[in-house]
Amino acid sequence: MRTKVLSAIAAGLLLLSACGQGDESEDSTTPPPSVAAQDAKSSSLDDITVDGKIGKKPEVSFEAPLVMDKTEKKVLEQGTGDKIADGEQVTAQMTLVSGTTGKTVESSYDSDAAAGFPMDKSQISEDLYNALIDVKVGSRVMMSLNGSAQQGEASQTLVYVIDIEDAKKPLTRAEGEKADQSDNPVTVKWGDDGAPSISKPKGKKPTELETYTTIEGKGDEVKKGQSVAVKYSGWLWDDTSKTFDSNWKKDGQPFVVAPVGEAQVIDGWNEGLVGQKVGDQVVLVVPPDKGYGKQGSEPSIPGDATLIFVVDILSAQG
């Protein structure tokens, strides 16, 4: 399943946001390998052979165990596309191999669904960022990283083979026709930069998740399992005078929900984003059981809070 691939990668490379429900990932380069360096039979990316054409699951071989004390990268095959730039959304096939056993842990090729992530150091590790920045689309890149292949397992040297399929700038805000808001419990207004504000809600708090479109985009439909980049702001139903969370601040980067439908975000996001279109702006009215429940989320979200999010869908990959 693609979820396993992304969770393995996320444990080592991707960070969680304030809207997430999981624990924060540890720095994957910090823990030492569980196999001692003196017991290693391989100690460099040069000791690794990668066979197979780009577009097919690679065959990775080396004499195990492999132990490397620092992160390294190597471009195995140079692509012919544009160079990956800061802020772009990357689509890539990723294969993860255990340095301890030499066996493949997971590969996105097995599920025929590429991974997607932003070139943004606030959301991915600096190691992954540095391995891919300025590399051409179509390239195959190998990198090593010390961490755990699966949560709870011992640390080891991990090998990633990354086949870069695409890289593109996401939208900076929702783009499309403004929709009729007469049925919405809140009215959305926009600043010059696209940042939303909302009116006080009308009517009773809903007991089910409600979704309203305020801007109708023309992009592809968001599908379960994709990596979706968004801009968002969130308010309490009981107090819309200020946001409790937003990435519309100056120079704020898009937040990536991956894999949407099963991501480590509240259920209201996983359910409400699937089926929308790239370029859409949607209002999600989230009852407590689809949000943070009875416990809330300190310090801004009390228990049993109904939440209102305005979400701009900027890209969807995978």
Side-chain angles (χ1 to χ4, degrees):
M1 293 290 292
R2 182 168 180 264
T3 305
K4 293 182 179 179
V5 176
L6 286 181
S7 63
I9 293 169
L13 301 177
L14 303 183
L15 306 178
L16 304 179
S17 88
C19 279
Q21 291 179 313
D23 296 330
E24 291 186 358
S25 301
E26 296 181 356
D27 181 351
S28 61
T29 63
T30 299
S34 57
V35 177
Q38 61 266 27
D39 297 326
K41 295 182 178 179
S42 301
S43 59
S44 168
L45 293 184
D46 293 334
D47 296 330
I48 302 172
T49 300
V50 180
D51 293 321
K53 295 181 178 180
I54 294 179
K56 300 290 184 181
K57 182 179 176 180
E59 296 180 4
V60 182
S61 59
F62 53 86
E63 191 173 6
L66 166 74
V67 178
M68 299 174 63
D69 61 358
K70 62 181 180 179
T71 297
E72 295 184 10
K73 77 158 188 176
K74 185 177 183 180
V75 178
L76 301 176
E77 188 171 337
Q78 190 73 255
T80 58
D82 294 334
K83 291 182 178 180
I84 296 174
D86 181 77
E88 290 186 328
Q89 294 288 322
V90 173
T91 302
Q93 298 285 353
M94 303 188 75
T95 300
L96 172 61
V97 179
S98 165
T100 299
T101 66
K103 295 182 180 180
T104 297
V105 178
E106 290 289 343
S107 177
S108 57
Y109 279 114
D110 291 336
S111 59
D112 195 31
F117 50 88
M119 288 297 288
D120 171 15
K121 290 182 183 179
S122 70
Q123 297 193 61
I124 64 173
S125 78
E126 190 169 353
D127 294 321
L128 178 61
Y129 181 94
N130 291 338
L132 298 185
I133 192 71
D134 293 329
V135 174
K136 291 184 177 180
V137 171
S139 297
R140 170 170 281 179
V141 179
M142 178 168 57
M143 69 175 290
S144 67
L145 199 66
N146 285 331
S148 299
Q150 301 285 355
Q151 187 174 4
E153 292 185 354
S155 176
Q156 60 179 297
T157 295
L158 304 171
V159 177
Y160 292 87
V161 178
I162 307 168
D163 291 350
I164 304 165
E165 294 187 341
D166 195 15
K168 62 180 65 174
K169 279 283 187 182
L171 299 174
T172 58
R173 59 192 288 183
E175 291 185 3
E177 297 292 328
K178 292 182 180 178
D180 178 18
Q181 298 193 55
S182 59
D183 292 335
N184 295 6
V186 297
T187 299
V188 179
K189 295 183 179 180
W190 303 274
D192 292 340
D193 62 351
S197 60
I198 63 173
S199 65
K200 291 183 179 180
K202 58 187 178 183
K204 295 182 179 180
K205 295 179 183 179
T207 57
E208 303 289 338
L209 175 68
E210 293 184 354
T211 304
Y212 303 90
T213 301
T214 57
I215 297 177
E216 296 180 352
K218 297 181 179 179
D220 294 334
E221 183 177 303
V222 174
K223 298 177 181 178
K224 185 177 180 179
Q226 287 187 309
S227 175
V228 180
V230 302
K231 282 285 194 75
Y232 69 92
S233 292
W235 296 263
L236 301 176
W237 177 284
D238 292 332
D239 182 8
T240 57
S241 65
K242 61 183 183 298
T243 61
F244 63 78
D245 192 15
S246 177
N247 65 344
W248 275 98
K249 61 185 179 182
K250 184 179 180 180
D251 299 325
Q253 294 296 314
F255 169 64
V256 175
V257 183
V260 68
E262 298 177 345
Q264 291 184 323
V265 295
I266 59 174
D267 291 342
W269 276 42
N270 274 320
E271 296 176 18
L273 295 180
V274 174
Q276 310 300 332
K277 298 190 299 295
V278 174
D280 278 356
Q281 182 182 82
V282 294
V283 175
L284 303 178
V285 185
V286 183
D289 66 321
K290 300 292 185 181
Y292 292 93
K294 293 182 179 180
Q295 75 276 11
S297 180
E298 295 184 352
S300 303
I301 303 174
D304 290 322
T306 297
L307 311 176
I308 302 171
F309 289 96
V310 177
V311 184
D312 287 25
I313 301 174
L314 308 180
S315 69
Q317 302 167 278

